[in-house]
Structure formats: C-alpha cells, structure tokens
Coordinates of all heavy atoms in Angstrom, one line a residue:
M220 N -41.3 -4.5 29.5 CA -41.3 -4.2 28.1 C -42.2 -5.1 27.4 O -42.3 -6.3 27.6 CB -39.8 -4.4 27.6 CG -39.6 -4.2 26.2 SD -38.0 -4.5 25.6 CE -37.5 -2.8 25.2
T221 N -43.0 -4.5 26.4 CA -43.9 -5.2 25.6 C -43.2 -6.0 24.5 O -42.3 -5.5 23.9 CB -45.0 -4.2 25.0 OG1 -45.5 -3.5 26.1 CG2 -46.1 -5.0 24.3
R222 N -43.7 -7.1 24.1 CA -43.2 -7.9 23.0 C -43.4 -7.1 21.7 O -44.5 -6.7 21.4 CB -43.8 -9.2 23.0 CG -43.5 -10.1 21.8 CD -44.1 -11.4 21.9 NE -43.0 -12.3 22.4 CZ -43.1 -13.5 22.8 NH1 -44.3 -14.0 22.9 NH2 -42.1 -14.2 23.2
P223 N -42.3 -7.0 20.9 CA -42.5 -6.4 19.6 C -43.5 -7.1 18.6 O -43.7 -8.3 18.7 CB -41.1 -6.4 19.0 CG -40.2 -6.8 20.1 CD -41.0 -7.5 21.1
I224 N -44.1 -6.2 17.8 CA -45.0 -6.8 16.8 C -44.5 -6.3 15.4 O -43.6 -5.4 15.3 CB -46.4 -6.3 17.0 CG1 -46.5 -4.7 16.9 CG2 -47.0 -6.8 18.3 CD1 -47.9 -4.2 16.8
Q225 N -45.0 -7.0 14.4 CA -44.6 -6.6 13.0 C -45.9 -6.5 12.2 O -46.8 -7.3 12.3 CB -43.7 -7.5 12.3 CG -43.2 -7.1 10.9 CD -42.1 -7.9 10.4 OE1 -41.0 -7.7 10.9 NE2 -42.3 -8.7 9.4
R226 N -46.0 -5.5 11.3 CA -47.1 -5.3 10.5 C -46.6 -5.1 9.0 O -45.6 -4.4 8.8 CB -48.0 -4.1 10.9 CG -48.6 -4.2 12.2 CD -49.6 -5.3 12.3 NE -50.3 -5.5 13.6 CZ -49.9 -6.4 14.5 NH1 -48.9 -7.2 14.3 NH2 -50.5 -6.4 15.6
H227 N -47.3 -5.7 8.1 CA -47.1 -5.6 6.6 C -48.1 -4.6 6.1 O -49.3 -4.9 6.3 CB -47.1 -6.9 6.0 CG -46.6 -6.9 4.6 ND1 -46.4 -8.1 3.9 CD2 -46.2 -5.9 3.8 CE1 -45.9 -7.8 2.7 NE2 -45.8 -6.5 2.6
V228 N -47.7 -3.5 5.5 CA -48.7 -2.5 5.1 C -48.6 -2.1 3.6 O -47.5 -2.1 3.1 CB -48.3 -1.2 5.9 CG1 -49.3 -0.1 5.6 CG2 -48.3 -1.5 7.4
Y229 N -49.8 -1.9 3.0 CA -49.9 -1.4 1.7 C -50.7 -0.2 1.7 O -51.8 -0.2 2.3 CB -50.6 -2.4 0.7 CG -49.7 -3.6 0.5 CD1 -49.9 -4.8 1.2 CD2 -48.7 -3.6 -0.5 CE1 -49.1 -5.9 0.9 CE2 -47.9 -4.7 -0.8 CZ -48.2 -5.9 0.0 OH -47.4 -7.0 -0.3
V230 N -50.2 0.9 1.1 CA -51.0 2.2 1.1 C -51.2 2.6 -0.3 O -50.3 2.6 -1.1 CB -50.1 3.3 1.8 CG1 -51.0 4.6 1.9 CG2 -49.7 2.9 3.2
S231 N -52.5 2.9 -0.6 CA -52.8 3.3 -2.0 C -53.4 4.7 -1.9 O -53.9 5.2 -0.9 CB -53.8 2.3 -2.6 OG -55.0 2.2 -1.9
G232 N -53.4 5.4 -3.1 CA -53.9 6.7 -3.2 C -52.8 7.5 -4.0 O -52.0 7.0 -4.7
Q233 N -52.7 8.8 -3.7 CA -51.6 9.6 -4.2 C -50.5 9.6 -3.2 O -50.4 10.5 -2.3 CB -52.1 11.1 -4.5 CG -51.1 12.0 -5.0 CD -50.5 11.5 -6.4 OE1 -51.3 11.1 -7.2 NE2 -49.2 11.6 -6.6
V234 N -49.7 8.6 -3.3 CA -48.7 8.3 -2.2 C -47.2 8.2 -2.8 O -46.3 8.0 -2.0 CB -49.0 7.1 -1.4 CG1 -50.3 7.3 -0.6 CG2 -49.2 5.8 -2.2
Q235 N -47.1 8.4 -4.1 CA -45.8 8.4 -4.7 C -45.5 9.8 -5.2 O -46.4 10.5 -5.7 CB -45.6 7.4 -5.8 CG -45.6 6.0 -5.2 CD -45.2 4.9 -6.3 OE1 -44.8 5.2 -7.4 NE2 -45.5 3.7 -5.9
G236 N -44.2 10.3 -5.1 CA -43.9 11.6 -5.5 C -44.3 12.7 -4.6 O -44.4 13.9 -5.0
V237 N -44.7 12.4 -3.4 CA -45.2 13.4 -2.4 C -44.5 13.2 -1.1 O -45.0 13.7 0.0 CB -46.7 13.2 -2.2 CG1 -47.5 13.6 -3.4 CG2 -47.1 11.8 -1.7
F238 N -43.3 12.6 -1.1 CA -42.4 12.5 0.1 C -43.0 11.5 1.1 O -42.7 11.6 2.3 CB -42.1 13.8 0.7 CG -41.3 14.7 -0.2 CD1 -42.0 15.8 -0.9 CD2 -40.0 14.5 -0.5 CE1 -41.3 16.6 -1.8 CE2 -39.3 15.3 -1.4 CZ -40.0 16.4 -2.0
F239 N -43.9 10.6 0.7 CA -44.5 9.7 1.6 C -43.5 8.7 2.3 O -43.6 8.5 3.5 CB -45.6 8.8 0.9 CG -46.5 8.1 1.8 CD1 -47.7 8.7 2.1 CD2 -46.2 6.9 2.4 CE1 -48.6 8.1 3.0 CE2 -47.1 6.3 3.2 CZ -48.3 6.9 3.6
R240 N -42.5 8.3 1.5 CA -41.5 7.4 2.1 C -40.7 8.1 3.1 O -40.4 7.5 4.2 CB -40.6 6.7 1.0 CG -41.4 5.7 0.1 CD -40.5 5.2 -1.0 NE -40.0 6.3 -1.8 CZ -38.9 6.2 -2.6 NH1 -38.2 5.1 -2.6 NH2 -38.5 7.2 -3.3
D241 N -40.2 9.3 2.8 CA -39.4 10.0 3.8 C -40.2 10.4 5.0 O -39.7 10.3 6.1 CB -38.7 11.2 3.2 CG -37.6 11.8 4.0 OD1 -36.7 11.0 4.4 OD2 -37.7 13.0 4.4
F242 N -41.5 10.8 4.8 CA -42.4 11.1 5.9 C -42.5 9.8 6.8 O -42.4 10.0 8.0 CB -43.7 11.4 5.3 CG -44.9 11.5 6.3 CD1 -45.1 12.6 7.0 CD2 -45.7 10.4 6.4 CE1 -46.2 12.7 7.9 CE2 -46.8 10.5 7.3 CZ -47.0 11.6 8.1
T243 N -42.7 8.7 6.2 CA -42.8 7.4 7.0 C -41.5 7.1 7.7 O -41.6 6.8 8.9 CB -43.2 6.3 6.0 OG1 -44.4 6.6 5.4 CG2 -43.3 5.0 6.8
R244 N -40.4 7.3 7.1 CA -39.1 7.1 7.8 C -39.0 8.0 9.0 O -38.6 7.6 10.1 CB -37.9 7.4 6.9 CG -36.6 7.1 7.6 CD -35.4 7.7 6.7 NE -35.6 9.1 6.4 CZ -35.3 10.1 7.2 NH1 -35.0 9.9 8.4 NH2 -35.5 11.4 6.8
Q245 N -39.3 9.3 8.8 CA -39.2 10.3 10.0 C -40.1 9.9 11.1 O -39.7 9.9 12.3 CB -39.5 11.7 9.5 CG -38.5 12.3 8.6 CD -38.9 13.6 8.0 OE1 -39.9 14.3 8.5 NE2 -38.3 14.1 6.9
K246 N -41.3 9.5 10.8 CA -42.3 9.1 11.8 C -41.9 7.8 12.5 O -42.1 7.6 13.7 CB -43.7 9.0 11.2 CG -44.3 10.3 10.7 CD -44.5 11.3 11.8 CE -45.1 12.6 11.2 NZ -45.3 13.6 12.2
A247 N -41.3 6.9 11.7 CA -40.9 5.6 12.3 C -39.8 5.9 13.3 O -39.8 5.3 14.4 CB -40.4 4.7 11.2
E248 N -38.8 6.7 12.9 CA -37.7 7.0 13.8 C -38.1 7.7 15.1 O -37.7 7.3 16.2 CB -36.6 7.8 13.1 CG -35.9 7.0 12.0 CD -34.9 7.8 11.2 OE1 -34.9 9.1 11.3 OE2 -34.2 7.2 10.3
S249 N -39.1 8.6 15.0 CA -39.6 9.3 16.2 C -40.5 8.4 17.0 O -40.7 8.6 18.2 CB -40.3 10.6 15.8 OG -41.5 10.3 15.1
S250 N -41.0 7.3 16.4 CA -41.9 6.3 17.1 C -41.1 5.1 17.6 O -41.7 4.2 18.2 CB -43.0 5.9 16.2 OG -43.8 7.0 15.9
G251 N -39.8 5.0 17.3 CA -39.0 3.8 17.7 C -39.4 2.6 16.9 O -39.3 1.5 17.5
V252 N -39.8 2.8 15.7 CA -40.2 1.6 14.8 C -39.1 1.3 13.8 O -38.5 2.3 13.2 CB -41.5 1.9 14.1 CG1 -41.9 0.8 13.2 CG2 -42.6 2.1 15.2
A253 N -38.8 0.1 13.6 CA -37.8 -0.4 12.6 C -38.6 -1.0 11.4 O -39.8 -1.1 11.5 CB -36.9 -1.4 13.2
G254 N -37.8 -1.2 10.3 CA -38.4 -1.9 9.2 C -38.0 -1.1 7.9 O -36.9 -0.6 7.8
W255 N -38.9 -1.1 6.9 CA -38.6 -0.4 5.7 C -39.9 0.0 5.0 O -41.0 -0.4 5.3 CB -37.8 -1.3 4.8 CG -38.4 -2.7 4.5 CD1 -38.0 -3.8 5.2 CD2 -39.4 -3.1 3.6 NE1 -38.7 -4.9 4.7 CE2 -39.6 -4.5 3.7 CE3 -40.1 -2.4 2.6 CZ2 -40.5 -5.2 2.9 CZ3 -41.0 -3.1 1.8 CH2 -41.2 -4.5 2.0
V256 N -39.7 0.9 4.0 CA -40.8 1.4 3.1 C -40.2 1.5 1.7 O -39.1 1.9 1.5 CB -41.3 2.8 3.6 CG1 -40.3 3.9 3.6 CG2 -42.6 3.2 2.9
R257 N -41.1 1.2 0.7 CA -40.7 1.3 -0.7 C -41.9 1.6 -1.6 O -43.1 1.3 -1.2 CB -40.0 0.1 -1.2 CG -40.9 -1.2 -1.2 CD -40.2 -2.4 -1.7 NE -41.1 -3.5 -1.7 CZ -40.7 -4.7 -2.0 NH1 -39.4 -5.0 -2.4 NH2 -41.5 -5.8 -1.9
N258 N -41.6 2.2 -2.7 CA -42.7 2.4 -3.8 C -42.8 1.1 -4.5 O -41.9 0.4 -4.8 CB -42.3 3.5 -4.7 CG -42.4 4.9 -4.1 OD1 -43.1 5.1 -3.2 ND2 -41.7 5.8 -4.7
L259 N -44.1 0.8 -5.0 CA -44.3 -0.3 -5.8 C -44.7 0.2 -7.2 O -45.2 1.3 -7.4 CB -45.5 -1.1 -5.3 CG -45.3 -1.8 -3.9 CD1 -46.6 -2.5 -3.4 CD2 -44.2 -2.8 -4.0
P260 N -44.4 -0.7 -8.3 CA -44.7 -0.3 -9.6 C -46.2 0.1 -9.9 O -46.5 0.9 -10.8 CB -44.3 -1.5 -10.5 CG -43.4 -2.3 -9.6 CD -43.8 -2.0 -8.2
D261 N -47.1 -0.4 -9.1 CA -48.5 -0.2 -9.3 C -49.0 1.1 -8.7 O -50.2 1.4 -8.6 CB -49.4 -1.3 -8.8 CG -49.3 -1.6 -7.3 OD1 -48.6 -0.8 -6.6 OD2 -49.9 -2.6 -6.9
G262 N -48.1 1.9 -8.1 CA -48.4 3.2 -7.5 C -48.7 3.2 -6.0 O -48.8 4.2 -5.4
R263 N -48.7 2.0 -5.4 CA -48.8 1.9 -3.9 C -47.5 2.0 -3.3 O -46.4 2.0 -3.9 CB -49.4 0.5 -3.6 CG -50.9 0.3 -4.0 CD -51.4 -1.0 -3.6 NE -50.6 -2.1 -4.2 CZ -50.6 -3.3 -3.8 NH1 -51.4 -3.7 -2.8 NH2 -49.8 -4.2 -4.3
V264 N -47.5 2.2 -1.9 CA -46.4 2.1 -1.1 C -46.5 0.9 -0.2 O -47.6 0.6 0.3 CB -46.3 3.4 -0.2 CG1 -45.2 3.3 0.9 CG2 -45.9 4.6 -1.1
E265 N -45.4 0.2 0.0 CA -45.4 -1.0 0.8 C -44.4 -0.8 2.0 O -43.4 -0.1 1.8 CB -44.9 -2.2 0.0 CG -44.8 -3.5 0.8 CD -44.2 -4.7 0.1 OE1 -43.5 -4.4 -0.9 OE2 -44.5 -5.8 0.4
A266 N -44.8 -1.3 3.2 CA -43.9 -1.1 4.3 C -44.0 -2.3 5.3 O -45.0 -3.0 5.3 CB -44.3 0.2 5.1
I267 N -42.9 -2.5 5.9 CA -42.8 -3.4 7.1 C -42.5 -2.6 8.3 O -41.5 -1.8 8.3 CB -41.7 -4.5 6.9 CG1 -42.1 -5.4 5.8 CG2 -41.4 -5.2 8.2 CD1 -43.2 -6.4 6.1
L268 N -43.3 -2.7 9.3 CA -43.2 -1.9 10.6 C -43.0 -2.9 11.7 O -43.8 -3.8 11.9 CB -44.4 -1.1 10.8 CG -45.0 -0.3 9.6 CD1 -46.3 0.4 10.1 CD2 -44.0 0.7 9.1
E269 N -41.9 -2.7 12.5 CA -41.7 -3.6 13.6 C -41.3 -2.7 14.8 O -40.4 -1.9 14.7 CB -40.6 -4.5 13.3 CG -40.3 -5.5 14.4 CD -39.3 -6.6 14.0 OE1 -39.2 -6.9 12.8 OE2 -38.6 -7.1 14.9
G270 N -41.9 -3.1 16.0 CA -41.5 -2.4 17.2 C -42.6 -2.6 18.3 O -43.4 -3.5 18.1
E271 N -42.5 -1.8 19.3 CA -43.5 -1.9 20.4 C -44.9 -1.5 19.8 O -45.0 -0.7 18.9 CB -43.2 -0.9 21.5 CG -41.8 -1.1 22.1 CD -41.8 -2.4 22.9 OE1 -42.8 -2.8 23.6 OE2 -40.8 -3.1 22.8
P272 N -46.0 -2.2 20.3 CA -47.3 -2.0 19.7 C -47.7 -0.5 19.7 O -48.3 0.0 18.7 CB -48.2 -2.8 20.6 CG -47.3 -3.9 21.1 CD -46.0 -3.3 21.3
T273 N -47.4 0.3 20.7 CA -47.8 1.7 20.7 C -47.1 2.5 19.6 O -47.7 3.3 19.0 CB -47.6 2.3 22.1 OG1 -46.3 2.2 22.5 CG2 -48.5 1.7 23.1
G274 N -45.8 2.2 19.4 CA -45.1 2.9 18.4 C -45.6 2.5 17.0 O -45.7 3.4 16.1
V275 N -45.9 1.2 16.8 CA -46.4 0.8 15.5 C -47.7 1.4 15.2 O -48.0 1.9 14.1 CB -46.4 -0.8 15.4 CG1 -47.2 -1.2 14.2 CG2 -45.0 -1.3 15.4
E276 N -48.6 1.4 16.2 CA -49.9 2.0 16.0 C -49.8 3.5 15.8 O -50.6 4.1 14.9 CB -50.8 1.8 17.2 CG -51.3 0.3 17.3 CD -52.0 -0.2 16.1 OE1 -52.9 0.6 15.5 OE2 -51.8 -1.3 15.6
R277 N -48.9 4.2 16.4 CA -48.7 5.7 16.2 C -48.3 5.9 14.8 O -48.7 6.8 14.1 CB -47.7 6.2 17.2 CG -47.5 7.7 17.2 CD -46.7 8.3 18.3 NE -45.6 7.4 18.8 CZ -45.6 6.8 20.0 NH1 -46.5 7.0 20.8 NH2 -44.5 6.1 20.4
L278 N -47.4 5.0 14.3 CA -46.9 5.2 12.9 C -48.0 4.9 11.9 O -48.2 5.6 10.9 CB -45.7 4.3 12.7 CG -45.1 4.3 11.3 CD1 -44.8 5.7 10.8 CD2 -43.9 3.4 11.2
L279 N -48.8 3.9 12.2 CA -49.9 3.6 11.3 C -50.9 4.7 11.2 O -51.4 5.1 10.1 CB -50.6 2.3 11.7 CG -49.9 1.0 11.4 CD1 -50.6 -0.2 12.2 CD2 -49.9 0.7 9.9
D280 N -51.2 5.4 12.3 CA -52.1 6.5 12.3 C -51.5 7.6 11.5 O -52.2 8.3 10.7 CB -52.3 7.1 13.8 CG -53.2 6.2 14.6 OD1 -53.9 5.3 14.0 OD2 -53.2 6.3 15.8
A281 N -50.2 7.9 11.6 CA -49.5 8.9 10.7 C -49.6 8.5 9.3 O -49.8 9.4 8.4 CB -48.0 9.1 11.2
M282 N -49.4 7.3 9.0 CA -49.4 6.8 7.6 C -50.9 7.0 7.0 O -51.0 7.2 5.8 CB -49.0 5.4 7.4 CG -47.5 5.2 7.7 SD -46.9 3.5 7.7 CE -46.9 3.2 5.9
R283 N -51.9 6.8 7.8 CA -53.3 6.9 7.4 C -53.5 8.4 7.0 O -54.3 8.7 6.0 CB -54.2 6.5 8.4 CG -54.4 5.0 8.6 CD -55.4 4.6 9.7 NE -55.4 3.2 9.8 CZ -54.8 2.5 10.8 NH1 -54.0 3.1 11.7 NH2 -54.9 1.2 10.8
A284 N -52.9 9.3 7.6 CA -53.0 10.7 7.3 C -52.1 11.1 6.2 O -52.5 11.9 5.3 CB -52.7 11.6 8.6
G285 N -50.9 10.7 6.2 CA -49.9 11.0 5.2 C -49.3 12.4 5.3 O -49.8 13.2 6.1
P286 N -48.3 12.7 4.5 CA -47.8 14.1 4.5 C -48.8 15.0 3.8 O -49.7 14.5 3.1 CB -46.5 13.9 3.7 CG -46.7 12.7 2.8 CD -47.6 11.8 3.6
P287 N -48.6 16.3 3.9 CA -49.6 17.3 3.3 C -49.9 17.0 1.9 O -51.1 17.2 1.5 CB -48.9 18.6 3.6 CG -48.0 18.4 4.7 CD -47.5 17.0 4.6
A288 N -49.0 16.7 1.0 CA -49.3 16.6 -0.4 C -49.9 15.2 -0.8 O -50.3 15.0 -1.9 CB -48.0 16.8 -1.2
A289 N -49.9 14.3 0.1 CA -50.5 13.0 -0.2 C -52.0 12.9 0.0 O -52.6 13.7 0.6 CB -49.8 11.9 0.8
R290 N -52.5 11.9 -0.7 CA -53.9 11.5 -0.5 C -54.0 10.0 -0.3 O -53.7 9.2 -1.2 CB -54.8 11.9 -1.7 CG -56.3 11.7 -1.5 CD -57.1 11.8 -2.8 NE -56.9 10.6 -3.6 CZ -56.3 10.5 -4.7 NH1 -55.7 11.6 -5.3 NH2 -56.2 9.3 -5.4
V291 N -54.3 9.6 0.9 CA -54.4 8.2 1.3 C -55.8 7.7 1.0 O -56.7 8.2 1.7 CB -53.9 7.9 2.7 CG1 -54.1 6.4 3.0 CG2 -52.5 8.3 2.9
D292 N -56.0 6.8 0.1 CA -57.3 6.3 -0.2 C -57.6 5.0 0.6 O -58.8 4.7 1.0 CB -57.5 6.0 -1.7 CG -57.5 7.2 -2.5 OD1 -57.8 8.3 -2.0 OD2 -57.2 7.1 -3.7
D293 N -56.6 4.2 0.8 CA -56.8 2.9 1.5 C -55.4 2.5 2.1 O -54.4 2.8 1.6 CB -57.2 1.8 0.5 CG -57.6 0.5 1.2 OD1 -58.3 0.6 2.2 OD2 -57.2 -0.5 0.7
I294 N -55.5 1.8 3.2 CA -54.4 1.2 3.9 C -54.7 -0.2 4.3 O -55.7 -0.4 5.0 CB -53.8 2.1 5.0 CG1 -52.5 1.6 5.6 CG2 -54.9 2.4 6.1 CD1 -51.8 2.5 6.5
Q295 N -54.0 -1.1 3.9 CA -54.2 -2.5 4.2 C -53.1 -2.9 5.2 O -51.9 -2.8 4.9 CB -54.2 -3.4 3.0 CG -55.2 -3.1 2.0 CD -55.1 -3.9 0.7 OE1 -54.0 -4.4 0.4 NE2 -56.2 -4.0 0.0
V296 N -53.4 -3.5 6.3 CA -52.5 -3.9 7.3 C -52.7 -5.3 7.7 O -53.8 -5.7 8.0 CB -52.7 -3.0 8.6 CG1 -51.6 -3.4 9.7 CG2 -52.6 -1.5 8.3
S297 N -51.6 -6.1 7.7 CA -51.7 -7.5 8.1 C -50.6 -7.8 9.1 O -49.6 -7.2 9.1 CB -51.6 -8.4 6.9 OG -50.4 -8.3 6.2
E298 N -50.9 -8.7 10.0 CA -49.9 -9.2 11.0 C -48.9 -10.0 10.3 O -49.1 -10.7 9.3 CB -50.6 -10.0 12.1 CG -51.5 -9.2 12.9 CD -52.1 -10.0 14.1 OE1 -51.4 -10.9 14.5 OE2 -53.2 -9.6 14.5
A299 N -47.6 -9.9 10.8 CA -46.5 -10.7 10.3 C -45.7 -11.1 11.5 O -45.7 -10.3 12.5 CB -45.7 -9.9 9.3
P300 N -45.0 -12.2 11.5 CA -44.1 -12.5 12.6 C -43.0 -11.5 12.7 O -42.4 -11.1 11.7 CB -43.6 -13.9 12.3 CG -43.8 -14.1 10.8 CD -44.9 -13.2 10.4
P301 N -42.6 -11.1 13.9 CA -41.5 -10.2 14.1 C -40.2 -10.7 13.5 O -39.9 -11.9 13.5 CB -41.4 -10.1 15.6 CG -42.7 -10.4 16.2 CD -43.2 -11.5 15.2
G302 N -39.5 -9.8 12.8 CA -38.3 -10.2 12.2 C -37.1 -9.7 13.0 O -37.3 -9.6 14.3
H303 N -36.1 -9.2 12.4 CA -34.9 -8.8 13.2 C -34.4 -7.4 12.6 O -33.3 -7.3 12.3 CB -33.8 -9.8 13.1 CG -34.3 -11.1 13.7 ND1 -34.5 -11.3 15.1 CD2 -34.6 -12.3 13.2 CE1 -34.9 -12.5 15.3 NE2 -35.0 -13.1 14.2
H304 N -35.4 -6.5 12.4 CA -35.0 -5.2 11.9 C -34.5 -4.4 13.1 O -35.1 -4.3 14.1 CB -36.2 -4.5 11.3 CG -36.8 -5.3 10.2 ND1 -36.3 -5.3 8.9 CD2 -37.9 -6.1 10.1 CE1 -37.0 -6.1 8.1 NE2 -38.0 -6.6 8.8
D305 N -33.4 -3.7 12.8 CA -32.8 -2.8 13.9 C -32.8 -1.3 13.5 O -32.4 -0.5 14.4 CB -31.4 -3.3 14.2 CG -30.5 -3.2 13.1 OD1 -30.9 -2.9 11.9 OD2 -29.3 -3.5 13.3
R306 N -33.3 -1.0 12.3 CA -33.4 0.4 11.9 C -34.5 0.5 10.9 O -35.1 -0.5 10.5 CB -32.1 0.9 11.4 CG -31.6 0.2 10.1 CD -30.2 0.7 9.7 NE -29.7 0.0 8.6 CZ -29.8 0.4 7.3 NH1 -30.4 1.5 7.1 NH2 -29.4 -0.4 6.3
F307 N -34.8 1.7 10.5 CA -35.8 1.9 9.4 C -35.1 2.5 8.2 O -34.4 3.4 8.3 CB -36.9 2.9 9.9 CG -38.2 2.8 9.1 CD1 -39.2 1.9 9.4 CD2 -38.3 3.5 7.9 CE1 -40.3 1.8 8.7 CE2 -39.5 3.4 7.2 CZ -40.5 2.5 7.5
E308 N -35.5 1.9 7.1 CA -34.8 2.3 5.8 C -35.8 2.6 4.7 O -36.9 2.0 4.7 CB -33.8 1.3 5.3 CG -34.3 0.0 5.0 CD -33.2 -1.0 4.5 OE1 -32.7 -0.8 3.4 OE2 -32.9 -1.9 5.3
V309 N -35.5 3.5 3.8 CA -36.2 3.7 2.6 C -35.6 2.9 1.5 O -34.4 3.0 1.3 CB -36.2 5.3 2.3 CG1 -36.9 5.5 0.9 CG2 -36.9 6.0 3.4
R310 N -36.4 2.1 0.9 CA -35.8 1.3 -0.2 C -36.2 1.9 -1.6 O -37.1 2.6 -1.7 CB -36.3 -0.1 -0.1 CG -35.8 -0.8 1.1 CD -36.3 -2.2 1.1 NE -35.6 -2.9 2.2 CZ -35.8 -4.2 2.5 NH1 -36.7 -4.9 1.9 NH2 -35.2 -4.8 3.5

C-alpha cells in the first residue's frame, strides 16, 4: 500500500453555481479520496484532497476539467502533510 498524500487546492474560473463542489465530491468518492471542498467569497473553490497518490491525481485531473457548466481558468495545488480525513464532505 502506498503512503497517503494530501494536496491543498484552489480552483478559479466559473466554478461556483455550476455544481463544482458536488462534482468534486462524486469524483473523490469514486477515486477513494477523503477531504473537503468549499466555495470561497472571492469566487474560487478550495479543497483538501487526501488519499493514495493515484486517486488524488485522478481527482485533480477531473477538477482541472470540471463539470460541463464550469470553466476552470487556473488550479493551484500545494503539498500538505496528510491529516486524518476519513470521508469527503462538501462544506
């Protein structure tokens, strides 16, 4: 088993009001990734992703594309120390 990783993510573009958070939750659950996602007051979406590297990378790829109504202009990803998330939630 590979050691879990955690990534702190900010997504900008047309990412609020287009089901981006629920899309992320669905993709996280199917990829075996825990953490959370939330809207920010400045129009971005913020997320913490934690899990096996392949699952986290699969989710990041999905977030770069976004759901059909979204437009992702930029995604910033930084490493973070693994936490203790056991599920994925929309905040």
Side-chain angles (χ1 to χ4, degrees):
M220 180 183 245
T221 308
R222 175 175 259 169
I224 62 170
Q225 182 168 290
R226 297 294 181 260
H227 192 173
V228 181
Y229 291 97
V230 185
S231 59
Q233 181 60 42
V234 292
Q235 290 189 13
V237 293
F238 301 101
F239 197 94
R240 291 178 301 156
D241 193 53
F242 168 85
T243 301
R244 180 194 54 78
Q245 291 175 16
K246 296 296 184 181
E248 290 174 354
S249 68
S250 298
V252 175
W255 52 264
V256 63
R257 67 180 176 182
N258 286 338
L259 294 175
D261 65 4
R263 294 180 300 162
V264 168
E265 178 184 24
I267 292 290
L268 315 177
E269 183 175 331
E271 298 294 320
T273 55
V275 170
E276 288 303 319
R277 185 170 35 249
L278 178 53
L279 285 169
D280 288 343
M282 291 174 77
R283 284 181 182 98
R290 186 192 77 247
V291 176
D292 293 336
D293 187 43
I294 184 166
Q295 298 173 337
V296 181
S297 59
E298 293 184 26
H303 300 289
H304 301 281
D305 58 355
R306 62 187 177 95
F307 198 90
E308 64 180 284
V309 174
R310 294 186 172 175

